[in-house]
Amino acid sequence: MPAPQKPSLEEIQQQLESAFSRHKRGDLGFATTVYRQVLAQYPDQPTALHYLGLIAQQSGNSQQALQLLQRSIAIDSSDPRAHNHLGQVYVALNDKRNAALCFERALQIEPNHVASLNNLANLTLTRDLAQAIALYRRALQLSPDAAFASYNLAQALKEYNSFDEALLLYRRTIALDPKHFQARHMLGVLLEQRGEFPEAISEYLTVQRLNPRHVSSLANAIGIRNYIPEFTLVRRAEALVTRPDASDEDRIKLHRGLGRHYERASDFERAFAHFDAANGLLRRNRAPFDIRSVSKNFDRITSAFSRDFFARDLARISDSKRPVFIVGLPRSGTTLTEQILASHPRVFGTGELPDIPKMAKLLRPEYPECVALMEPDALADLANDYLRVIDRLAGPEPLRVTDKMPLNSLHLGLIARLFPEARVVYCRRDPLDIGVSCFVELFDLEHDYTTTLEDFGHYFLEHERLMAHWRAVLPIPIHEVCYEALIAEPETTCRAIIDYCGLDWHPACLDFHKTERTIQTPSRWQVRQPLYQTSIGRWRNYLQHTAPLAQLLEASGFTYTRDTPERQTTASCRPLKRHDRRWATPPRSLIRPIFIVAAPRSGSTLLFETLVQSDRVCSLGGEAHWLVENHRELRPGAPGIDSNRLTAAHAIGEYRDSIIHQIATHLVDQAGNSVEAESDRVFVEKTPKNALRIPFFDRIFPRSRFVFLWRDPRENISSILEAWRSGKFRTYKKVDGFEGTWSLLLPPDYRQCRARPLEEIAAFQWECTNRVILEDLEALDPGRWISLSYSDLIANPAASLKRILKFAELDIDSTLEQHLAHPLPHSRYTDTAPAADKWRMNEPEISRVLSSVENIWQRLRGLD
């Protein structure tokens, strides 16, 4: 019997296209069977390979899809659809470069291939928004009835701040597809931002009818101010937020919507519970907030943009007077201030432009130090790029153009360098009100300090320090706007803002709530109302929850005038100031404090962590570098200070009082609970850099006592080497006279380490620190210090601690005894687990430098 005749290629193609019709309708099983049958007869049939690859991609098997599509294109590269589908596979594999090449190849074959235009635009969106818009426009022109093309162009235009056209395109999308609930939701968002609240609510409710589980529209609807939602909507939100299959993202949105709803109903406890739940979910999905990283970053900023930097003869970059930068923490009144300015006929408000932060990000990791090294032409390019953006948005008419990105406050040094004729308006508000307002909103911040009120407090204090620096050094005068004063005396405050911007007064600035603009910030409702006083003191609704924040601010020595609105004036809104208390004598716990001093990596943290287990002592909870380094004048690089070495001459009254106050207001016990400074506990401090500051602390605390911990140089130098190599202990990114970053403390004469091997640097740190400690202690009364070797501490911790407590005239307590009944745990800063003779892994390097430390080692052995 003859074998059945194979179908012709034309018949095969017909079979494939017929199967593909069912494939597009979702019948993947049937389509797969046909494609495989064809390949069984024609293994190199490109269309079958292509379509089977598409099914693999739709089934989540990107690697198999990649192989099938590549094989199809290798056989026949003329089908733009295959290139487009291969590009989509690369997108799924996060290979954007190859994806773009595929879409571009498809368009070379068929320039009007709408799907490839759309996909290339999607890929280009984050890199070149203007180019993406051009591609979307072309796709829509070629396929004017395609709802997806209209919607994507609307999304891009909204991102581009072309709000009017975006609004028209959302409506066009809905006309093409009335059930396009994403377009309806985004139309609602845009209407809300434009102040058209009833229309926005209508769109959100329509989305709910089309898709009752669309979380964003539900959360937005129940959260809009002055709208009382139907009970069924609130009940639906409460049901959805507890569903086990709900994503964290959906829960966050729902909790925030419910929080706003209950706050509006004055059910503040239930409102706070929802806000707190939303923030708890955010914390679970984000990197933890690190105030130390923020502080170091601010240190870099203030160091790079110092008074000396601006005092130099700098080439002028731009003479433009158009930019007005409105800065401040989010929720401090920046949107209201911009709305007032944008109501002036000669001012255009752009909202929050991302361009300055993007500049800074592109210059990383060398930013901000690199600004001082950049050629004027390179800086001019940055300035002109920014001016082109505001020119595009504002057009040629306005004299001033505002940019209210709040945290441009971090980049005022760069701004002043690029635009010396710019204006800077700094918005201030009661930090308790800012803290609560930030807590209840959803922000996308690089360092998100808004998810706990405590994190906010720490960030607020650092931001105050930064703004104090700008006020002191910036060549541009900063105009401050106090929110409370603006509410109390609007015309006086508004006139001052307009005058600062070099404009004539216009009465429209007082009728700012009538100005029609798109407001994308959470203040979109507030700025469309006349000024009202209920926004002042919002924190009182959450009194028990804001108490820790208030205590943190007060304990840090800051105050803020909180007069009633009727009594408040412009003058009463003044910068936060440190307490100016003068201390004749320190409080009781600081009369005879104990300072642990040691070379780096000597085991001082272990000793400190053991000693503070005692109920008889108190501390600052850990290493307190900030205690001294809060004062820029005491940091390396300040006039007369080129290392961590401080002497009695540096302990002038201002620093003495500040340091006593900082300690007195931050004392804690072993559990982290606050301790009264007048208690009978004894203060214990251990910060490595303090090893070089014994005379400094001796002047501040004349009855202080010192515990000198020293360690065998072989072990100690080996540990210092490992700390440098780990990269975890970098203290200075750049110091004068040394190439590269510096780790651990910075001794005097550190410049001799330039271009020296690492083992010589480690040996120098050990030798210099121990030598300075010995010389300083030997200048004191012998009864004020004792020495202890690390080997004795490890061999017999109980005896070592009893000796220290006897020296401090303290009895050992049961809590410490119980702690000493078990082997000592590793210190929190232990890099690798201790082991006998661990130093021998660095023995060759240590052998080369041991002779340079022999003299000090011999003196230390003589202390026993």
Short mmCIF file of all heavy atoms in Angstrom, two decimals, residues 261-300:
data_model
loop_
_atom_site.label_atom_id
_atom_site.label_comp_id
_atom_site.label_asym_id
_atom_site.label_seq_id
_atom_site.Cartn_x
_atom_site.Cartn_y
_atom_site.Cartn_z
N HIS A 261 -10.64 57.16 54.71
CA HIS A 261 -12.09 57.12 54.95
C HIS A 261 -12.39 57.28 56.45
O HIS A 261 -13.24 58.09 56.84
CB HIS A 261 -12.67 55.80 54.43
CG HIS A 261 -14.06 55.53 54.91
ND1 HIS A 261 -15.15 56.25 54.46
CD2 HIS A 261 -14.54 54.63 55.83
CE1 HIS A 261 -16.24 55.81 55.06
NE2 HIS A 261 -15.90 54.83 55.88
N TYR A 262 -11.68 56.52 57.30
CA TYR A 262 -11.97 56.58 58.72
C TYR A 262 -11.46 57.88 59.35
O TYR A 262 -12.05 58.38 60.31
CB TYR A 262 -11.39 55.36 59.43
CG TYR A 262 -12.19 54.11 59.15
CD1 TYR A 262 -11.63 53.04 58.46
CD2 TYR A 262 -13.52 54.02 59.55
CE1 TYR A 262 -12.37 51.90 58.19
CE2 TYR A 262 -14.27 52.88 59.28
CZ TYR A 262 -13.69 51.83 58.60
OH TYR A 262 -14.44 50.71 58.32
N GLU A 263 -10.38 58.44 58.81
CA GLU A 263 -9.93 59.75 59.30
C GLU A 263 -10.99 60.80 59.01
O GLU A 263 -11.28 61.66 59.84
CB GLU A 263 -8.59 60.13 58.65
CG GLU A 263 -8.03 61.44 59.18
CD GLU A 263 -6.70 61.80 58.56
OE1 GLU A 263 -6.64 61.81 57.31
OE2 GLU A 263 -5.74 62.07 59.28
N ARG A 264 -11.55 60.74 57.81
CA ARG A 264 -12.61 61.68 57.44
C ARG A 264 -13.82 61.54 58.36
O ARG A 264 -14.51 62.52 58.65
CB ARG A 264 -13.01 61.43 55.98
CG ARG A 264 -13.93 62.46 55.37
CD ARG A 264 -14.06 62.24 53.88
NE ARG A 264 -14.54 60.92 53.54
CZ ARG A 264 -13.86 60.02 52.81
NH1 ARG A 264 -12.68 60.33 52.32
NH2 ARG A 264 -14.36 58.83 52.56
N ALA A 265 -14.05 60.32 58.84
CA ALA A 265 -15.17 60.06 59.75
C ALA A 265 -14.79 60.30 61.22
O ALA A 265 -15.58 59.99 62.11
CB ALA A 265 -15.66 58.63 59.57
N SER A 266 -13.56 60.84 61.45
CA SER A 266 -13.05 61.13 62.81
C SER A 266 -12.87 59.88 63.65
O SER A 266 -12.81 59.97 64.89
CB SER A 266 -13.97 62.14 63.53
OG SER A 266 -13.99 63.36 62.82
N ASP A 267 -12.77 58.71 63.03
CA ASP A 267 -12.45 57.47 63.75
C ASP A 267 -10.94 57.29 63.64
O ASP A 267 -10.43 56.48 62.87
CB ASP A 267 -13.20 56.30 63.11
CG ASP A 267 -13.09 55.02 63.93
OD1 ASP A 267 -12.20 54.96 64.82
OD2 ASP A 267 -13.87 54.09 63.67
N PHE A 268 -10.22 58.09 64.47
CA PHE A 268 -8.78 58.21 64.27
C PHE A 268 -8.00 56.95 64.66
O PHE A 268 -6.98 56.65 64.06
CB PHE A 268 -8.26 59.43 65.04
CG PHE A 268 -8.85 60.72 64.56
CD1 PHE A 268 -9.68 61.47 65.37
CD2 PHE A 268 -8.61 61.17 63.26
CE1 PHE A 268 -10.25 62.66 64.93
CE2 PHE A 268 -9.17 62.36 62.80
CZ PHE A 268 -9.99 63.10 63.64
N GLU A 269 -8.48 56.22 65.65
CA GLU A 269 -7.77 54.99 66.03
C GLU A 269 -7.84 53.96 64.91
O GLU A 269 -6.86 53.31 64.57
CB GLU A 269 -8.35 54.43 67.33
CG GLU A 269 -7.86 55.15 68.56
CD GLU A 269 -6.34 55.23 68.64
OE1 GLU A 269 -5.68 54.17 68.60
OE2 GLU A 269 -5.80 56.35 68.72
N ARG A 270 -9.03 53.81 64.33
CA ARG A 270 -9.15 52.86 63.22
C ARG A 270 -8.36 53.36 62.01
O ARG A 270 -7.74 52.56 61.30
CB ARG A 270 -10.62 52.66 62.87
CG ARG A 270 -10.85 51.47 61.91
CD ARG A 270 -12.32 51.27 61.60
NE ARG A 270 -13.07 50.84 62.76
CZ ARG A 270 -14.35 50.48 62.71
NH1 ARG A 270 -15.02 50.50 61.57
NH2 ARG A 270 -14.97 50.10 63.80
N ALA A 271 -8.38 54.66 61.78
CA ALA A 271 -7.61 55.22 60.66
C ALA A 271 -6.13 54.94 60.84
O ALA A 271 -5.46 54.46 59.91
CB ALA A 271 -7.85 56.73 60.57
N PHE A 272 -5.61 55.20 62.05
CA PHE A 272 -4.17 54.98 62.27
C PHE A 272 -3.82 53.51 62.11
O PHE A 272 -2.75 53.18 61.58
CB PHE A 272 -3.76 55.47 63.67
CG PHE A 272 -2.27 55.52 63.85
CD1 PHE A 272 -1.56 56.67 63.53
CD2 PHE A 272 -1.56 54.43 64.33
CE1 PHE A 272 -0.18 56.72 63.68
CE2 PHE A 272 -0.19 54.46 64.48
CZ PHE A 272 0.51 55.62 64.15
N ALA A 273 -4.69 52.62 62.55
CA ALA A 273 -4.42 51.18 62.41
C ALA A 273 -4.26 50.81 60.94
O ALA A 273 -3.37 50.01 60.58
CB ALA A 273 -5.55 50.37 63.04
N HIS A 274 -5.08 51.39 60.07
CA HIS A 274 -4.94 51.10 58.64
C HIS A 274 -3.66 51.72 58.07
O HIS A 274 -2.95 51.07 57.29
CB HIS A 274 -6.17 51.61 57.88
CG HIS A 274 -7.35 50.69 57.96
ND1 HIS A 274 -7.37 49.45 57.35
CD2 HIS A 274 -8.56 50.83 58.57
CE1 HIS A 274 -8.53 48.87 57.58
NE2 HIS A 274 -9.27 49.68 58.32
N PHE A 275 -3.35 52.95 58.43
CA PHE A 275 -2.11 53.57 57.95
C PHE A 275 -0.90 52.77 58.42
O PHE A 275 0.06 52.55 57.67
CB PHE A 275 -2.01 55.02 58.45
CG PHE A 275 -3.04 55.95 57.88
CD1 PHE A 275 -3.69 56.88 58.68
CD2 PHE A 275 -3.38 55.91 56.53
CE1 PHE A 275 -4.64 57.74 58.17
CE2 PHE A 275 -4.33 56.77 56.00
CZ PHE A 275 -4.96 57.69 56.82
N ASP A 276 -0.94 52.33 59.67
CA ASP A 276 0.17 51.57 60.23
C ASP A 276 0.32 50.23 59.52
O ASP A 276 1.45 49.77 59.25
CB ASP A 276 -0.05 51.36 61.72
CG ASP A 276 1.20 50.88 62.43
OD1 ASP A 276 2.29 51.37 62.10
OD2 ASP A 276 1.08 50.02 63.33
N ALA A 277 -0.81 49.59 59.19
CA ALA A 277 -0.75 48.31 58.48
C ALA A 277 -0.14 48.50 57.09
O ALA A 277 0.67 47.67 56.63
CB ALA A 277 -2.15 47.72 58.37
N ALA A 278 -0.52 49.58 56.40
CA ALA A 278 0.05 49.85 55.07
C ALA A 278 1.56 50.05 55.17
O ALA A 278 2.32 49.51 54.36
CB ALA A 278 -0.61 51.09 54.47
N ASN A 279 2.00 50.79 56.17
CA ASN A 279 3.43 51.04 56.31
C ASN A 279 4.19 49.79 56.73
O ASN A 279 5.35 49.60 56.33
CB ASN A 279 3.65 52.17 57.31
CG ASN A 279 3.36 53.54 56.70
OD1 ASN A 279 3.82 53.83 55.62
ND2 ASN A 279 2.57 54.35 57.39
N GLY A 280 3.53 48.94 57.51
CA GLY A 280 4.18 47.67 57.86
C GLY A 280 4.45 46.82 56.62
O GLY A 280 5.51 46.20 56.50
N LEU A 281 3.49 46.80 55.71
CA LEU A 281 3.68 46.06 54.46
C LEU A 281 4.78 46.70 53.61
O LEU A 281 5.57 45.99 52.96
CB LEU A 281 2.36 46.01 53.68
CG LEU A 281 1.26 45.16 54.31
CD1 LEU A 281 -0.07 45.43 53.63
CD2 LEU A 281 1.61 43.68 54.22
N LEU A 282 4.83 48.02 53.59
CA LEU A 282 5.89 48.71 52.84
C LEU A 282 7.26 48.35 53.39
O LEU A 282 8.20 48.07 52.65
CB LEU A 282 5.69 50.22 52.91
CG LEU A 282 4.70 50.83 51.92
CD1 LEU A 282 4.51 52.31 52.22
CD2 LEU A 282 5.19 50.66 50.49
N ARG A 283 7.37 48.35 54.72
CA ARG A 283 8.67 48.03 55.33
C ARG A 283 9.10 46.61 54.99
O ARG A 283 10.29 46.33 54.84
CB ARG A 283 8.60 48.21 56.86
CG ARG A 283 8.50 49.66 57.29
CD ARG A 283 8.74 49.79 58.79
NE ARG A 283 7.74 49.10 59.59
CZ ARG A 283 6.59 49.60 59.97
NH1 ARG A 283 6.25 50.81 59.58
NH2 ARG A 283 5.75 48.90 60.72
N ARG A 284 8.12 45.71 54.89
CA ARG A 284 8.43 44.31 54.59
C ARG A 284 8.99 44.15 53.18
O ARG A 284 9.73 43.21 52.90
CB ARG A 284 7.17 43.47 54.76
CG ARG A 284 7.41 41.97 54.70
CD ARG A 284 6.19 41.22 55.17
NE ARG A 284 5.13 41.19 54.15
CZ ARG A 284 3.95 40.64 54.35
NH1 ARG A 284 3.64 40.14 55.53
NH2 ARG A 284 3.04 40.62 53.38
N ASN A 285 8.64 45.07 52.29
CA ASN A 285 9.01 44.95 50.88
C ASN A 285 10.11 45.92 50.45
O ASN A 285 10.44 45.99 49.27
CB ASN A 285 7.77 45.15 50.00
CG ASN A 285 6.80 43.98 50.10
OD1 ASN A 285 6.99 42.95 49.50
ND2 ASN A 285 5.76 44.14 50.91
N ARG A 286 10.63 46.69 51.38
CA ARG A 286 11.67 47.66 51.04
C ARG A 286 12.87 47.46 51.94
O ARG A 286 12.78 46.90 53.02
CB ARG A 286 11.15 49.10 51.19
CG ARG A 286 10.08 49.47 50.16
CD ARG A 286 9.63 50.91 50.33
NE ARG A 286 8.64 51.28 49.33
CZ ARG A 286 8.04 52.45 49.26
NH1 ARG A 286 8.35 53.39 50.14
NH2 ARG A 286 7.15 52.70 48.32
N ALA A 287 14.01 47.97 51.47
CA ALA A 287 15.21 47.93 52.30
C ALA A 287 14.97 48.77 53.55
O ALA A 287 14.34 49.81 53.49
CB ALA A 287 16.40 48.48 51.51
N PRO A 288 15.46 48.33 54.69
CA PRO A 288 15.24 49.10 55.92
C PRO A 288 15.88 50.48 55.83
O PRO A 288 16.93 50.66 55.22
CB PRO A 288 15.90 48.24 57.01
CG PRO A 288 16.85 47.34 56.28
CD PRO A 288 16.27 47.12 54.92
N PHE A 289 15.22 51.44 56.44
CA PHE A 289 15.75 52.80 56.45
C PHE A 289 17.01 52.83 57.30
O PHE A 289 17.05 52.30 58.40
CB PHE A 289 14.70 53.76 57.03
CG PHE A 289 15.19 55.16 57.20
CD1 PHE A 289 15.46 55.95 56.09
CD2 PHE A 289 15.39 55.70 58.46
CE1 PHE A 289 15.92 57.24 56.24
CE2 PHE A 289 15.84 56.98 58.62
CZ PHE A 289 16.10 57.77 57.51
N ASP A 290 18.05 53.47 56.79
CA ASP A 290 19.35 53.51 57.46
C ASP A 290 19.75 54.97 57.65
O ASP A 290 20.27 55.60 56.74
CB ASP A 290 20.39 52.76 56.63
CG ASP A 290 21.75 52.69 57.31
OD1 ASP A 290 21.88 53.22 58.44
OD2 ASP A 290 22.68 52.13 56.72
N ILE A 291 19.51 55.50 58.84
CA ILE A 291 19.83 56.91 59.08
C ILE A 291 21.33 57.16 59.01
O ILE A 291 21.77 58.26 58.65
CB ILE A 291 19.26 57.36 60.45
CG1 ILE A 291 19.40 58.88 60.62
CG2 ILE A 291 19.93 56.62 61.59
CD1 ILE A 291 18.69 59.70 59.58
N ARG A 292 22.13 56.13 59.31
CA ARG A 292 23.59 56.32 59.23
C ARG A 292 24.01 56.57 57.79
O ARG A 292 24.89 57.41 57.53
CB ARG A 292 24.31 55.10 59.79
CG ARG A 292 24.16 54.94 61.30
CD ARG A 292 24.75 53.64 61.80
NE ARG A 292 24.03 52.51 61.22
CZ ARG A 292 24.31 51.24 61.50
NH1 ARG A 292 25.29 50.95 62.32
NH2 ARG A 292 23.62 50.26 60.94
N SER A 293 23.40 55.87 56.85
CA SER A 293 23.71 56.09 55.44
C SER A 293 23.29 57.49 55.02
O SER A 293 24.01 58.18 54.29
CB SER A 293 22.99 55.04 54.58
OG SER A 293 23.18 55.29 53.21
N VAL A 294 22.13 57.92 55.48
CA VAL A 294 21.66 59.28 55.17
C VAL A 294 22.62 60.31 55.73
O VAL A 294 23.00 61.27 55.05
CB VAL A 294 20.24 59.50 55.74
CG1 VAL A 294 19.83 60.97 55.64
CG2 VAL A 294 19.24 58.63 55.01
N SER A 295 23.04 60.12 56.97
CA SER A 295 23.93 61.07 57.61
C SER A 295 25.26 61.16 56.88
O SER A 295 25.80 62.24 56.66
CB SER A 295 24.15 60.65 59.07
OG SER A 295 24.96 61.59 59.74
N LYS A 296 25.78 60.01 56.47
CA LYS A 296 27.04 60.02 55.72
C LYS A 296 26.88 60.73 54.39
O LYS A 296 27.78 61.46 53.94
CB LYS A 296 27.53 58.58 55.51
CG LYS A 296 28.06 57.90 56.77
CD LYS A 296 28.51 56.47 56.48
CE LYS A 296 29.02 55.79 57.74
NZ LYS A 296 29.42 54.38 57.47
N ASN A 297 25.75 60.50 53.73
CA ASN A 297 25.49 61.17 52.46
C ASN A 297 25.41 62.68 52.65
O ASN A 297 25.99 63.45 51.87
CB ASN A 297 24.19 60.65 51.85
CG ASN A 297 23.91 61.25 50.49
OD1 ASN A 297 24.80 61.40 49.66
ND2 ASN A 297 22.66 61.61 50.25
N PHE A 298 24.74 63.12 53.71
CA PHE A 298 24.65 64.56 53.99
C PHE A 298 26.03 65.12 54.33
O PHE A 298 26.33 66.27 53.99
CB PHE A 298 23.66 64.81 55.12
CG PHE A 298 22.21 64.68 54.71
CD1 PHE A 298 21.86 64.17 53.47
CD2 PHE A 298 21.19 65.07 55.55
CE1 PHE A 298 20.53 64.04 53.08
CE2 PHE A 298 19.85 64.95 55.19
CZ PHE A 298 19.53 64.43 53.95
N ASP A 299 26.84 64.33 55.02
CA ASP A 299 28.20 64.77 55.30
C ASP A 299 28.97 65.01 54.01
O ASP A 299 29.73 65.99 53.88
CB ASP A 299 28.94 63.74 56.15
CG ASP A 299 28.46 63.70 57.58
OD1 ASP A 299 27.80 64.67 58.01
OD2 ASP A 299 28.76 62.72 58.28
N ARG A 300 28.81 64.09 53.06
CA ARG A 300 29.49 64.26 51.77
C ARG A 300 29.01 65.54 51.07
O ARG A 300 29.81 66.29 50.49
CB ARG A 300 29.21 63.06 50.86
CG ARG A 300 29.94 61.80 51.23
CD ARG A 300 29.64 60.69 50.24
NE ARG A 300 30.10 61.03 48.90
CZ ARG A 300 29.79 60.33 47.81
NH1 ARG A 300 28.98 59.29 47.91
NH2 ARG A 300 30.26 60.68 46.63
#
